Amino acid sequence: MKAPFTSLAGFRAVFDALPQPDAAALEAATVRNGQLTKPKGALGRLEGLAIWYAGWVGDGRPALERPQVAIFAGNHGIAARGVSAFPPEVTVQMVANYRAGGAAVNQLCKVAGASMTVTELDLDRPTLDFTQGPAMTEDELVAALAAGWEAVEDEADLLVVGEMGIGNTTAAAAIAAALFGGSAGEWTGRGSGVEGAALEGKTLVVAQGLERHAEALSDPVEVLRRLGGRELAAMAGAIARARVGRIPVILDGFICSAAAAVLHAIRPGALDHAVAGHVSAEGAHPAVLARLGKEPILELGMRLGEGTGAIVAINILRSAVACLSGMATFAEAGVAEG
Amino acid sequence: MKAPFTSLAGFRAVFDALPQPDAAALEAATVRNGQLTKPKGALGRLEGLAIWYAGWVGDGRPALERPQVAIFAGNHGIAARGVSAFPPEVTVQMVANYRAGGAAVNQLCKVAGASMTVTELDLDRPTLDFTQGPAMTEDELVAALAAGWEAVEDEADLLVVGEMGIGNTTAAAAIAAALFGGSAGEWTGRGSGVEGAALEGKTLVVAQGLERHAEALSDPVEVLRRLGGRELAAMAGAIARARVGRIPVILDGFICSAAAAVLHAIRPGALDHAVAGHVSAEGAHPAVLARLGKEPILELGMRLGEGTGAIVAINILRSAVACLSGMATFAEAGVAEG
């Protein structure tokens, strides 16, 4: 779907009238869940997930058939500051790996039965080092938000957004610190594996970015423009587009959650169509999820990005939906109720 | 495979020479895992699971293609004591539901790509109420162990065992208390939904069983015979058969774990081929897993039995194996290492 905005004012206007879940589908799913051949509540979290999904797709007995994994790749000016364990050229190398089918995300999409799209965002034109000025111009931010919006397939019935971008845990840490407050150190973590002096340097870069843009950080869209990156903006745009189309979303790890947090900051409730797929091993991810009010489905110590944690959670949601929609009721099966 | 025993002595002899994982496959998988296009350790728990699986199936780049879910159903004399929220006839009704495809386990097997077998164990002949005497004779126990052993398909490359049996959380609680010590109250939980006075009554039944058989509880096989049930014995037999064939196992919830604990008590290390699929909402399940030294993969508040929690974990293991075996190495993909 073509993005319905060509300016940041237009993007902001999206949040003035967000659709809600279908009340009739929620009610039908809740009633049906109570009639299925199992002790009440015995499927635990699966029951709530299935009902949530039913509400958003507007079907009390839903199917989950066309999950989409949308990967966004961007390059960051701050990568030149030594904030990552990997050199900046790895972004484009990993995109080639996605296209060749060799990355973790490719294998996980196969297991999850998900389609996968990869969107490269001006990889030859890194964002500006945010300690020197805003990472993106307004036009660049609008373009990245629109690219994310338009990458979502209209027929998707579940969305996962993933990312690749050397330096992007630094951008995500800066966004989280700007949105939630606290020191740079609270939000800056190991990313792909920085430690010791390199981690101190990364934290300093985040602190410098926060200081440089301090006067503008009360506006979440400005936080994204000044401290973010193209793939973070695209993730935000894709998650917003999913909300408008009532497509349920599974959030991935720290970077995805930071991008999503921008929408939450624009409008509380903007992430009601999203669940947290997992809690990652990146130190500050639990704190971001807590601020978003999201309980992770999985806790497997993953910290790879690319959407990987959320993709592993797809089959959990699929299991939940399959039980809600496929199980017999006590009456249908002739089983005595307790 | 025909069970290689016709007596309890024969069953005990199985544990004298258990096979170990393939050291060469473990080494090959570990080396390969370190070369894949991801930051070291970034797939978290998935990495260890894949290497564990590689060792047991004896292939450093394994596939996971033929998971089997083996469900066992039995009836319990103690069910007449009001220990369950459901009447005893539900066991046979639920077996019909499995065969008709209407239960949770049917939907979950489809999502997991698993075959499913259902073995009914003398449903018209409940075990003896264990407060009155041993639940099973020696011949009955041997028959149930053998039924479990023989239900495992020779070509399976992963096994989940599940159960149905009104009253079986009571039997499982008695087994756990007998094996691990402590009071009946520590191990007795809500099962399919007993509360208040009914839960007190259930706890009393467990305590009476423990007292009745106190002199024989130092022998794990006698614990299973006196306090268990046919489906619990069959699960133990199936898990033992998997070990002999080096078929990896995902353990389900409290009842499965109690059955597995009998093998662990016979011989520490007997469950090295098994991982814990989830921790259930049954109160004593975390304590059983801790005694077995197993960290659950999932924590979703499930408490349905039937193998359901373990089945949901199959696709987690499949994801792990897919990454290990399908990802490109840094050298293959031309990606710079950090």
Side-chain angles (χ1 to χ4, degrees):
Chain A
M1 187 173 103
K2 181 101 179 101
F5 53 85
T6 56
S7 67
L8 291 183
F11 179 69
R12 291 176 199 273
V14 166
F15 297 85
D16 293 341
L18 293 176
Q20 297 301 315
D22 183 303
L26 277 177
E27 171 66 14
T30 302
V31 169
R32 181 172 168 75
N33 179 59
Q35 299 169 334
L36 300 176
T37 45
K38 58 176 182 55
K40 287 203 192 312
L43 282 170
R45 178 110 194 245
L46 297 189
E47 299 186 16
L49 283 171
I51 293 167
W52 163 83
Y53 184 83
W56 284 101
V57 299
D59 183 348
R61 199 171 174 175
L64 196 177
E65 293 175 333
R66 295 174 305 277
Q68 179 191 356
V69 175
I71 311 285
F72 301 99
N75 271 321
H76 295 260
I78 44 163
R81 301 282 302 273
V83 293
S84 174
F86 289 81
E89 60 266 28
V90 165
T91 301
V92 71
Q93 291 168 350
M94 283 301 294
V95 167
N97 198 21
Y98 302 150
R99 298 212 188 276
V105 68
N106 301 94
Q107 322 316 315
L108 296 174
C109 279
K110 268 188 251 177
V111 173
S115 70
M116 176 177 150
T117 55
V118 182
T119 305
E120 299 166 55
L121 299 151
D122 296 319
L123 294 185
D124 54 349
R125 220 157 47 87
T127 54
L128 190 66
D129 177 341
F130 64 50
T131 66
Q132 306 302 310
M136 292 174 275
T137 65
E138 290 200 8
D139 284 351
E140 286 172 339
L141 176 55
V142 169
L145 289 165
W149 187 289
E150 293 169 8
V152 179
E153 293 162 354
D154 293 339
E155 62 274 21
D157 56 16
L158 178 68
L159 178 69
V160 165
V161 292
E163 44 49 54
M164 179 68 218
I166 296 302
N168 66 10
T169 56
T170 306
I175 289 172
L179 295 178
F180 301 131
S183 70
E186 285 173 48
W187 300 100
T188 307
R190 297 178 59 240
S192 56
V194 299
E195 290 174 320
L199 180 54
E200 287 173 33
K202 180 177 176 178
T203 306
L204 181 62
V205 167
V206 172
Q208 288 172 342
L210 293 170
E211 192 179 330
R212 177 76 167 75
H213 301 284
E215 87 291 349
L217 301 183
S218 60
D219 175 357
V221 175
E222 276 298 287
V223 167
L224 182 59
R225 185 175 79 83
R226 289 166 176 264
L227 300 171
R230 290 191 180 85
E231 80 279 37
L232 285 140
M235 294 170 98
I239 295 168
R241 187 269 175 266
R243 175 56 178 266
V244 167
R246 291 204 324 209
I247 300 169
V249 170
I250 303 180
L251 300 175
D252 189 38
F254 180 64
I255 300 156
C256 175
S257 300
V262 172
L263 309 186
H264 176 78
I266 294 174
R267 165 93 176 257
L271 299 177
D272 287 353
H273 68 310
V275 292
H278 78 134
V279 58
S280 85
E282 181 71 2
H285 192 215
V288 176
L289 292 181
R291 303 296 181 106
L292 298 179
K294 302 292 183 192
E295 188 73 32
I297 297 171
L298 295 170
E299 181 169 359
L300 295 169
M302 297 172 68
R303 52 178 180 82
L304 179 52
E306 299 181 0
T308 50
I311 302 169
V312 175
I314 290 177
N315 272 321
I316 310 288
L317 179 59
R318 197 193 293 274
S319 296
V321 170
C323 286
L324 173 64
S325 298
M327 283 176 70
T329 64
F330 281 105
E332 286 167 354
V335 174
E337 289 197 58
Chain B
M1 186 173 104
K2 181 103 178 97
F5 53 85
T6 56
S7 67
L8 291 183
F11 178 70
R12 292 176 199 273
V14 166
F15 297 84
D16 293 341
L18 294 176
Q20 298 301 316
D22 183 303
L26 277 178
E27 171 67 14
T30 302
V31 169
R32 180 173 167 75
N33 179 59
Q35 299 170 334
L36 301 176
T37 44
K38 59 175 181 55
K40 288 207 191 312
L43 282 169
R45 179 111 194 245
L46 297 188
E47 299 186 17
L49 283 170
I51 292 167
W52 163 83
Y53 184 84
W56 284 100
V57 298
D59 183 347
R61 199 171 174 174
L64 196 176
E65 292 174 335
R66 295 174 304 277
Q68 178 190 358
V69 175
I71 312 284
F72 302 98
N75 270 321
H76 295 260
I78 44 162
R81 301 284 299 275
V83 294
S84 174
F86 288 82
E89 60 265 30
V90 165
T91 302
V92 72
Q93 291 168 349
M94 283 300 294
V95 167
N97 198 21
Y98 302 149
R99 297 210 187 279
V105 68
N106 300 92
Q107 322 317 315
L108 296 175
C109 279
K110 265 187 253 177
V111 173
S115 69
M116 176 177 151
T117 56
V118 182
T119 305
E120 298 166 54
L121 300 152
D122 296 318
L123 294 186
D124 54 348
R125 220 158 45 87
T127 55
L128 190 66
D129 177 341
F130 64 50
T131 66
Q132 307 301 310
M136 292 174 276
T137 66
E138 290 200 6
D139 284 351
E140 286 172 338
L141 176 57
V142 169
L145 289 164
W149 188 288
E150 294 170 6
V152 179
E153 294 162 353
D154 293 339
E155 63 275 20
D157 56 17
L158 178 68
L159 179 69
V160 165
V161 293
E163 42 51 52
M164 179 69 218
I166 297 301
N168 67 8
T169 56
T170 306
I175 289 172
L179 295 178
F180 300 131
S183 70
E186 286 173 48
W187 300 99
T188 307
R190 297 178 61 239
S192 56
V194 299
E195 290 174 321
L199 180 54
E200 287 173 32
K202 179 177 177 178
T203 306
L204 181 63
V205 168
V206 172
Q208 288 172 342
L210 292 170
E211 191 178 332
R212 177 74 169 77
H213 302 284
E215 88 290 347
L217 301 183
S218 61
D219 175 357
V221 175
E222 275 298 286
V223 168
L224 182 60
R225 185 175 79 82
R226 289 166 176 264
L227 300 172
R230 289 189 181 85
E231 79 280 36
L232 285 139
M235 294 170 99
I239 295 168
R241 188 268 176 262
R243 175 56 178 264
V244 167
R246 291 207 320 211
I247 300 169
V249 170
I250 302 180
L251 300 176
D252 189 37
F254 181 64
I255 300 155
C256 175
S257 300
V262 171
L263 308 186
H264 176 78
I266 294 173
R267 165 92 176 259
L271 299 178
D272 287 353
H273 67 311
V275 291
H278 77 134
V279 58
S280 84
E282 181 71 3
H285 192 215
V288 176
L289 292 182
R291 304 296 182 107
L292 298 178
K294 303 291 184 194
E295 188 73 31
I297 296 170
L298 295 172
E299 181 170 358
L300 295 170
M302 297 172 68
R303 52 177 181 81
L304 179 53
E306 301 182 359
T308 49
I311 302 168
V312 175
I314 290 176
N315 272 321
I316 309 286
L317 180 59
R318 198 193 293 273
S319 295
V321 170
C323 285
L324 174 64
S325 298
M327 283 177 71
T329 64
F330 281 104
E332 286 166 354
V335 173
E337 288 197 58

